[in-house]
Amino acid sequence: MKILFLNGPNLNLLGTREPEVYGRMTLADIEAQVRQQAEQLEVTVDFRQSNVEGELIGWIQQAKGNFDAIVLNAAAYTHTSIALRDAISAVAVPTIEIHLTNIHAREEFRHNSVIAPVCRGQICGFGAKSYILGLEAAIDVNDVK
Ligand code: DQA
C-alpha cells in the first residue's frame, strides 16, 4: 500500500512558526515519526510540502493509479481552495484531511473547510499525532473497501 502525504503553505516553517499554536516539532520531525510508523505497519509513504497551490494540485492529479490514499494537510488552502477540492473530487483517491490544530476551536474563518465534503474524513487537533492518525485512517479506508 502506498500513501501520499501532502502539506500545504507555511508548514515548511513548523518548529519556528507560532510554536505556541503549532508546537516545536519541525515538518522533518513529523515526517520521521510518520516513516517510523509506516515501516511498522508495512506501508510505503511519500511525504511532500509545497507553498504553491498548483503544485499541490499537480501532485493530487498524479496520485491516481500511483497511490492508494492521500493524507492532506492543506493548511490555509483548506479554507479557500475550490481548485484543491475539485482535484480531490476528480481523482477519487481516498483523501484524509488532517490538521495539527483544532480548526473548529480557532478563528471563525478556519471553521469552514471547503475540502471536507470531498474527503473521507477529517482529523484535527492532535498536533503531530494527527499525522499518525491520518496514516491509520488511510490504511483503514483501503481495508474496508
Ligand atoms: C493548519 C490549520 C490551518 O487553518 C492553517 O492555515 C495552517 C495549519 C493546521 O495544521 O492546524 O496553516 O492546517
Side-chain angles (χ1 to χ4, degrees), residues 3-4 6 16-17 22 33 35 42-43 51 53-54 62 69 74-75 82 91-93 96 98 110-111 116 118 139 141:
I3 298 166
L4 177 61
L6 294 183
T16 56
R17 175 193 181 195
Y22 295 110
Q33 285 196 351
R35 289 195 179 281
E42 296 178 357
V43 296
N51 294 323
E53 188 178 20
Q62 290 158 17
I82 306 299
V91 298
V93 176
I96 317 295
I98 64 163
R110 294 186 205 277
H111 295 183
V118 294
I139 295 168
V141 293

Side-chain angles (χ1 to χ4, degrees), residues 9 11 17 22 73 75-76 78-79 98-101 103 106 110:
L11 292 171
R17 175 193 181 195
Y22 295 110
N73 186 348
T78 304
H79 317 296
I98 64 163
H99 302 282
L100 294 155
T101 60
I103 56 173
R106 297 184 62 194
R110 294 186 205 277

